[in-house]
Amino acid sequence: MHAVLTAVVVSALAIVPATAARAASDLSDVGTRALAETSACAASADRVLAVIVVDESASLQETDPEALRVGAIETALDSLEALASQVGDELEVEAALATFGTTYSELVGWGAVTGTHGEELRASVRDELPSRNNAQHTDYREALKGANESIQRRANETGGQSCSLVLWFTDGSLDVDDNGAFDASEEAAVDEICTPRGISDSLRSNNTVLLALALFTEGSARSPSAQDQDLLQAIAEGTSATTECGTVPIPPDWSGGAYLRAADATALRTVFSEAGALIEGGVVDADAACPGPACAGGVLQMPVDAGVSRARVLVSADLDANPLTIVAPVSGPTELLAGSTSVDGADIEVRTEPDLTVVEITVLDSRAHGPWALDVGEGTTASLYYFWDARVVVEEPPDGFVIGQTTEVPIVVLSRQGDALTANTFGDVTATVSAAGASADVVSDGAGGLVLNVTVPNDDVVPEVDVSVDVTAVTATHGIRLGPVSGRTSAETVLPASYPSTVQKSLRFPNVVGTEAVTSSLTIVGPERGEGRACVAGLAIDGPSGADGLTLSLTPQAPECVDVAAGQEVELPLSLATESGADGVAQGSVQLELYGVDADEPLTMSVPVEASMERPVDEVARVGWTILLVALAILFALMTAYLGRHLADRYRFGQSAQYCEVPVVITAAGVQRSDSPGSDLVDPVEDFSRVQSIGAASTTPRKTIGSVTFDRKLPLNPWRSAQSIVTAGPQMAFWGPGSATMDPAAHAGRATFPGTTDFVLTADPEGVTRDTANARLLIVVDAPDGVAAVLPERLDAIRGSNWSQVLTDMNAAADERRSETGGSTDSHRDAAVSSAPRSAGDSQVESFLDDAVGGSSSSSSAAPVSDFLGSGDALAPPPATEKRVIGSRRRKKEAPPEEPPRRDGTPPPMDFLD
């Protein structure tokens, strides 16, 4: 395989030696060429794909505390938008935004840099990036792999020819672990990035330009060492003063990269502006800068010659703080304001940002040619960029590149307006040619134009020849350097009609995942006449670091040689296998010997081979982690639901809760007091006592009041409501006017939260007859304004109950009790109530929640109903502290239990009415 670089200078005047251009950020020659390739590629591609990857490590809190990177990245978006406008409507410029630290995170996906998606990109830069400064690591691998995968995925989605670019911003050295030192972990990461066919080579072989923009603050405690800076430059450009990264030199058919550095955060916007100018195809005039000889007294001299399309000045000051005056060739001085104006055959646009003003002169006609000057003021830093905005068109040979012959290909250089430019316009025009698989040179056509000569040798023939032409120019009047601009073409190599050929010009294998072998086939096509033969003469493959035992071979049943008749197609199956997985790209070739009809010697052809390699995913570990995480998520949801249910379904017996419990006799006609017939059912003064305090929370899952225990059942399904229950030891218990029970024998009443509505009836089965029932009536009220305020309404509801039905229900329950046999009343009660829909795990769940939340009952003397439901233990009798003896109407009421003194020493209130 041949890779030949040839340069030819076509001069209208004497040849001027090339002078290396330098940006203010010391861009190398390698970086200059890489960015020029981006500009040139954009001129002939269908789209540009640019992903902006921004460091989010915690060191930014020190190096860029004011988030000045935000404005700098907005400037980069401006440059991408300008690139789209300069090339024209036929070019789509798309961008995506991501961050990296410990991992790679996409903030905004792919879309145009203009319109709605452009606004989304800028909004994310402004709103999200300032707070993205907490990552613990600065893992270069994540940034590069994430960007590469994103670009390749988008390129596959869109199709067509794409130019790809990574704008990679970081403020720190490589850091992949928590010890803060460059040790074995970082060394392994560098090896993964920089080994041949590793991560860096994967970007370059995919023709992605990597622009590394570094904020390396001088004198900072976090300032990277010189070795760190050299590493970052080598990752981008291949080499630096002390380090190499990837395949060096970078193959001519791969893309390079560029490294730019800002010494502090305030310089970021300028550095990004410089990068943007270079991506757009600008060339910095190293001699025209302020301060400098060309800027005496703060006035920058900037001539505009024929052939110049635009001139741009970057001034490191905003316009308000530093007014600018431009001096045109004819009109003289004009004070500049933000916006656009026209002077002497040129449009002048002024854009100002904090610490940066951009002045751009766009040439409209020849009146703009001549001496220009910009007064920036003494001491102000300024740099000057010239733009050619030319486009190189390398025509594709209609019949391909014929093997053994020289093929002439015209080269046309077009201006921004689409006019053909000749060497006569310039002092010098230089064309540099790169042709993989052939020798090539450029000659003059004698009329100021260029011609490309490509010769494909007879041996080691490649199926396709890629040709790249870089053209630079120097103006005739002031020697202003322009370009480089590039053009590309590719065409098949054409064998004589008597030789077989291949359908594929290169062979792409499926991705190699782990150690799983993959296969692909090379298709051989017979000659136009007669029978030919193709033989595999050699197989070569090289992979990334860690790909041990990587082999490229014919499959076991495949022959080394195949005979192919005219027009016939025959498959040569190939296998790619490895003994260990790796990340990166495997590249190699298949050497073929092709025998033609009546040919004495074979032709040798090389078919490139490529495959992406990925380390395997540990499926067992992945499934295990997935199950664990799902289980934890479900457990968390369940515990959250249980906790919510535990806190929601509770009794509200607050500081204003009071109760009364009186003996009553029930008939079909109604209910009345049994200890003082004819009197009121209850007396708000004599009968009510304060419910014993349950603490500041005012809620409880269980509570014993009088002879009745209020409890609840929590189901295992936390999305079902808990069931409120009332019990009264061996007595029957009924809730409310509907005499609701949990079982036919009324061992428990089916109550409702919050417990301060309706009423409870308890009765001994022996005290219930067909006509009457002796019972006890328990009423609990929430009376913040006193019992008298709420009692009338409650009594009306009680009197309005269907007492005939209540008496019938009580008789039915009493009959059920009397019919129970085979055990004690308690055991029957336990069996009946425990048959209600309550899981055996309810009591454990509730007990755990009580302990976790601290919501257990303040009354410790009563056994909770959950114990009664689960174990069958008999309920403890109601606590004596709340038991009252009901005497005559003038009975002496027992004193309610005393409340503990308040924290401030004042006694508890005693007025139950108000």
Side-chain angles (χ1 to χ4, degrees):
M1 182 179 292
H2 298 268
V4 181
L5 300 178
T6 305
V8 60
V9 178
V10 183
S11 302
L13 301 174
I15 296 177
V16 177
T19 303
R22 285 287 185 267
S25 49
D26 295 326
L27 185 67
S28 69
D29 291 336
V30 173
T32 301
R33 285 195 300 273
L35 294 180
E37 288 176 4
T38 302
S39 175
C41 178
S44 57
D46 298 313
R47 67 183 46 80
V48 171
L49 300 177
V51 58
I52 302 172
V53 185
V54 185
D55 194 336
E56 62 176 1
S57 60
S59 57
L60 286 165
Q61 298 176 24
E62 179 180 331
T63 58
D64 187 20
E66 298 180 8
L68 297 178
R69 61 191 177 281
V70 169
I73 294 167
E74 287 181 316
T75 299
L77 289 172
D78 290 339
S79 297
L80 292 173
E81 188 174 348
L83 178 64
S85 64
Q86 290 298 327
V87 175
D89 294 338
E90 64 273 13
L91 178 69
E92 298 179 14
V93 179
E94 295 189 6
L97 177 66
T99 59
F100 83 99
T102 305
T103 60
Y104 179 93
S105 302
E106 185 176 81
L107 300 185
V108 182
W110 289 101
V113 294
T114 57
T116 302
H117 188 267
E119 294 172 0
E120 183 181 354
L121 285 166
R122 295 174 188 276
S124 182
V125 169
R126 291 190 303 269
D127 299 339
E128 296 190 62
L129 285 188
S131 60
R132 291 272 183 161
N133 59 357
N134 294 300
Q136 296 304 306
H137 302 140
T138 308
D139 195 337
Y140 292 174
R141 297 170 302 180
E142 293 296 322
L144 300 177
K145 288 194 296 184
N148 191 27
E149 291 169 3
S150 181
I151 287 174
Q152 295 311 308
R153 185 168 57 250
R154 183 58 177 168
N156 291 335
E157 292 172 353
T158 57
Q161 182 180 352
S162 298
C163 304
S164 52
L165 171 70
V166 178
L167 292 167
W168 176 31
F169 168 75
T170 183
D171 79 321
S173 54
L174 176 66
D175 177 19
V176 300
D177 54 26
D178 296 319
N179 60 16
F182 193 96
D183 55 16
S185 298
E186 281 71 27
E187 289 175 358
V190 170
D191 186 56
E192 193 174 343
I193 295 169
C194 291
T195 187
R197 313 293 178 184
I199 295 174
S200 283
D201 275 0
S202 183
L203 277 166
R204 296 167 187 164
S205 64
N206 287 329
N207 294 117
T208 297
V209 173
L210 175 63
L211 176 55
L213 300 153
L215 172 58
F216 287 164
T217 306
E218 297 288 353
S220 168
R222 296 180 178 269
S223 180
S225 65
Q227 290 77 12
D228 293 329
Q229 299 180 44
D230 282 349
L231 172 62
L232 191 63
Q233 182 175 4
I235 291 173
E237 300 183 355
T239 60
S240 62
T242 62
T243 307
E244 290 187 351
C245 186
T247 302
V248 177
I250 298 174
D253 55 338
W254 290 8
S255 291
Y259 168 75
L260 289 168
R261 173 177 174 266
D264 56 61
T266 59
L268 278 176
R269 193 184 293 269
T270 299
V271 169
F272 273 80
S273 297
E274 292 171 353
L278 295 169
I279 290 172
E280 292 179 56
V283 176
V284 64
D285 189 334
D287 296 327
C290 297
C295 193
V299 179
L300 177 64
Q301 304 300 320
M302 42 184 223
V304 174
D305 292 346
V308 172
S309 174
R310 290 179 291 145
R312 181 183 299 173
V313 183
L314 304 180
V315 183
S316 299
D318 58 75
L319 191 61
D320 293 336
N322 193 81
L324 302 176
T325 300
I326 195 165
V327 182
V330 178
S331 302
T334 301
E335 184 176 351
L336 293 178
L337 302 174
S340 300
T341 187
S342 296
V343 178
D344 289 1
D347 283 340
I348 301 175
E349 182 180 3
V350 181
R351 304 187 301 273
T352 185
E353 302 286 349
D355 301 318
L356 177 69
T357 299
V358 180
V359 179
E360 183 150 331
I361 302 172
T362 301
V363 176
L364 302 178
D365 56 49
S366 60
R367 290 177 298 158
H369 299 156
W372 291 74
L374 182 66
D375 187 352
V376 300
E378 292 193 56
T380 302
T381 301
S383 55
L384 174 60
Y385 293 79
Y386 285 106
F387 295 82
W388 192 2
D389 292 332
R391 186 160 56 95
V392 176
V393 178
V394 183
E395 297 183 7
E396 181 179 342
D399 298 324
F401 295 114
V402 182
I403 296 171
Q405 300 179 14
T406 298
T407 303
E408 293 186 353
V409 179
I411 299 174
V412 180
V413 182
L414 301 176
S415 69
R416 187 179 73 239
Q417 292 80 14
D419 300 327
L421 299 173
T422 66
N424 299 329
T425 307
F426 304 96
D428 302 288
V429 175
T430 304
T432 303
V433 183
S434 171
S439 60
D441 58 12
V442 176
V443 297
S444 172
D445 65 359
L450 303 174
V451 174
L452 172 66
N453 293 325
V454 179
T455 303
V456 181
N458 289 320
D459 60 333
D460 199 14
V461 177
V462 295
E464 189 174 42
V465 173
D466 293 316
V467 180
S468 174
V469 180
D470 296 334
V471 180
T472 61
V474 178
T475 64
T477 306
H478 293 92
I480 298 170
R481 290 174 53 82
L482 299 173
V485 291
S486 299
R488 297 175 182 267
T489 191
S490 63
E492 298 180 0
T493 55
V494 180
L495 290 163
S498 59
Y499 283 85
S501 59
T502 62
V503 171
Q504 303 99 323
K505 305 311 173 185
S506 63
L507 189 61
R508 177 80 185 187
F509 276 84
N511 287 3
V512 181
V513 180
T515 57
E516 183 179 352
V518 294
T519 60
S520 187
S521 294
L522 190 62
T523 305
I524 309 298
V525 180
E528 292 185 7
R529 61 182 181 85
E531 184 177 79
R533 166 171 282 205
C535 295
V536 177
L539 297 166
I541 193 70
D542 190 14
S545 176
D548 299 328
L550 183 65
T551 57
L552 175 64
S553 62
L554 288 163
T555 58
Q557 305 302 321
E560 291 187 359
C561 295
V562 292
D563 294 322
V564 192
Q568 182 184 5
E569 292 187 357
V570 176
E571 302 288 334
L572 274 176
L574 299 165
S575 174
L576 183 62
T578 181
E579 296 176 0
S580 60
D583 288 321
V585 178
Q587 291 183 315
S589 63
V590 178
Q591 298 291 330
L592 295 177
E593 288 184 348
L594 303 176
Y595 296 86
V597 180
D598 302 328
D600 295 331
E601 296 293 333
L603 292 177
T604 302
M605 171 177 283
S606 178
V607 180
V609 172
E610 185 173 88
S612 293
M613 301 188 67
E614 304 173 12
R615 283 192 175 93
V617 176
D618 188 335
E619 287 297 327
V620 175
R622 184 184 68 82
V623 172
W625 277 105
T626 300
I627 293 173
L628 177 60
L629 292 174
V630 170
L632 288 175
I634 294 173
L635 179 61
F636 178 77
L638 284 173
M639 292 308 299
T640 301
Y642 274 124
L643 181 60
R645 180 61 62 201
H646 178 75
L647 295 176
D649 294 344
R650 297 166 70 88
Y651 295 102
R652 266 67 174 170
F653 299 141
Q655 297 294 330
S656 59
Q658 299 188 46
Y659 78 99
C660 74
E661 187 173 19
V662 298
V664 295
V665 60
I666 300 170
T667 66
V671 60
Q672 61 179 329
R673 289 281 288 259
S674 61
D675 59 344
S676 56
S679 65
D680 291 338
L681 190 59
V682 293
D683 185 279
V685 176
E686 294 293 331
D687 295 327
F688 276 86
S689 300
R690 184 183 297 277
V691 174
Q692 185 177 337
S693 174
I694 60 173
S698 300
T699 64
T700 181
R702 64 186 61 86
K703 177 69 176 173
T704 298
I705 301 176
S707 64
V708 177
T709 297
F710 289 76
D711 209 330
R712 68 178 182 181
K713 294 190 307 177
L714 283 176
L716 281 181
N717 181 355
W719 288 276
R720 283 177 50 203
S721 297
Q723 177 59 58
S724 172
I725 299 172
V726 290
T727 60
Q731 305 293 308
M732 297 186 298
F734 305 86
W735 175 265
S739 54
T741 62
M742 294 291 294
D743 66 290
H747 293 296
R750 183 182 296 273
T752 58
F753 295 110
T756 55
T757 61
D758 292 332
F759 55 91
V760 181
L761 290 173
T762 61
D764 189 315
E766 300 303 324
V768 178
T769 68
R770 298 305 171 193
D771 298 323
T772 63
N774 292 313
R776 296 181 67 82
L777 172 68
L778 177 74
I779 303 173
V780 183
V781 297
D782 184 12
D785 297 323
V787 174
V790 297
L791 187 58
E793 183 178 351
R794 295 291 296 277
L795 290 177
D796 288 342
I798 292 172
R799 294 189 185 99
S801 301
N802 185 346
W803 289 104
S804 176
Q805 183 61 49
V806 171
L807 183 60
T808 299
D809 294 339
M810 295 180 75
N811 271 280
D815 290 343
E816 187 71 25
R817 287 288 189 99
R818 297 186 188 103
S819 67
E820 292 176 346
T821 60
S824 67
T825 303
D826 289 348
S827 65
H828 286 298
R829 179 194 67 232
D830 297 342
V833 180
S834 61
S835 66
R838 180 185 181 94
S839 166
D842 291 348
S843 59
Q844 288 86 345
V845 171
E846 185 165 351
S847 176
F848 168 77
L849 292 173
D850 285 342
D851 293 339
V853 180
S856 62
S857 171
S858 62
S859 175
S860 60
S861 61
V865 108
S866 53
D867 292 340
F868 148 67
L869 290 174
S871 66
D873 295 339
L875 286 172
T881 55
E882 296 197 2
K883 194 170 187 179
R884 299 202 301 115
V885 179
I886 307 298
S888 66
R889 194 72 186 96
R890 297 183 179 274
R891 67 197 175 278
K892 180 178 179 182
K893 187 183 72 166
E894 291 186 282
E898 293 185 1
E899 290 189 358
R902 296 187 174 183
R903 292 187 177 181
D904 59 3
T906 61
M910 300 299 294
D911 184 357
F912 298 146
L913 294 177
D914 193 9

